[in-house]
Amino acid sequence: MAQKENQRIALTKKLLQEGLLRLLEVKPLENISVTELCRESGINRATFYNHYSTPQELLDSLENRMTDELRKIIGNPRSADEVILHTEQVCSYFYDNARTILILNRCHADTDINDVLYNLNQNFQQYRLSSKYTGTMNQASLHLISVFFYTGCYNILLEWLKKDLPLTPKEVADLMVRLASENFLE
């Protein structure tokens, strides 16, 4: 019985998330009412309020779910090779969830996703830069270089999705790793 109830709750939340995404494709979050969201999702208001108090809370829960999934992909890499593999997996995740990622970005609701990607980049830069430039650059400079790469890579991902550019997730990951691995400092 509990499993059936859990499946029902999961289905309800999925219907609400999909309804919210459809509405966010045509209007801003602040213009979406609970009534409209429930109508779009085929869920009654009481059921909505059993799980969420506002459409913003629903959007936050969607971002949290995606952030958790990305954290699982990234894990705790122990080498640059693992970070490269995780980069490809992240690119595949973005590709598979392009619509949702772009909507979250447009709503400025991708802050936690940004943090996860920043940590992936930090992992790569830790293996790439610190081993090569230890002693020749201070930590603040290394941090700024990492921020530069992170923002560039995140925008590469978004542009790839927005323009639906004909590259595979592996090709995009390889491009980002190549950019981060070039000897730009020499």
Side-chain angles (χ1 to χ4, degrees), residues 101-117:
I101 295 285
L102 291 173
I103 289 170
L104 288 172
N105 177 259
R106 193 173 58 246
C107 295
H108 306 290
D110 58 347
T111 306
D112 290 339
I113 291 172
N114 277 314
D115 289 345
V116 171
L117 294 176

Side-chain angles (χ1 to χ4, degrees), residues 40-57:
E40 179 68 31
S41 304
I43 302 294
N44 68 50
R45 286 173 54 92
T47 302
F48 174 85
Y49 285 117
N50 284 336
H51 303 286
Y52 308 103
S53 58
T54 64
Q56 178 67 56
E57 187 178 322

Side-chain angles (χ1 to χ4, degrees), residues 12-160:
T12 297
K13 289 181 176 186
K14 182 173 175 52
L15 290 170
L16 286 166
Q17 289 174 353
E18 284 300 316
L20 180 62
L21 291 172
R22 282 190 301 275
L23 291 170
L24 286 170
E25 287 178 320
V26 296
K27 61 177 20 179
L29 181 65
E30 58 272 8
N31 293 345
I32 297 173
S33 69
V34 171
T35 301
E36 180 181 28
L37 175 58
C38 290
R39 190 176 318 117
E40 179 68 31
S41 304
I43 302 294
N44 68 50
R45 286 173 54 92
T47 302
F48 174 85
Y49 285 117
N50 284 336
H51 303 286
Y52 308 103
S53 58
T54 64
Q56 178 67 56
E57 187 178 322
L58 171 58
L59 184 64
D60 292 344
S61 75
L62 176 58
E63 185 200 16
N64 291 338
R65 178 183 57 80
M66 295 185 86
T67 300
D68 290 344
E69 290 170 359
L70 282 166
R71 281 193 177 110
K72 286 177 188 168
I73 290 169
I74 292 169
N76 194 12
R78 293 178 295 279
S79 70
D81 288 338
E82 283 187 26
V83 176
I84 291 167
L85 174 64
H86 295 170
T87 301
E88 183 178 338
Q89 292 169 340
V90 166
C91 288
S92 292
Y93 183 86
F94 265 60
Y95 183 79
D96 293 342
N97 295 282
R99 173 179 169 248
T100 304
I101 295 285
L102 291 173
I103 289 170
L104 288 172
N105 177 259
R106 193 173 58 246
C107 295
H108 306 290
D110 58 347
T111 306
D112 290 339
I113 291 172
N114 277 314
D115 289 345
V116 171
L117 294 176
Y118 178 74
N119 289 333
L120 175 64
N121 179 268
Q122 286 289 92
N123 289 335
F124 185 76
Q125 296 307 325
Q126 169 189 335
Y127 292 110
R128 168 74 178 111
L129 291 175
S130 62
S131 64
K132 186 169 185 174
Y133 298 103
T134 300
T136 62
M137 275 196 171
N138 62 42
Q139 284 302 112
S141 295
L142 290 172
H143 173 74
L144 291 175
I145 291 168
S146 185
V147 169
F148 171 78
F149 280 122
Y150 154 71
T151 56
C153 288
Y154 187 64
N155 282 296
I156 284 172
L157 287 170
L158 291 177
E159 191 67 14
W160 170 52

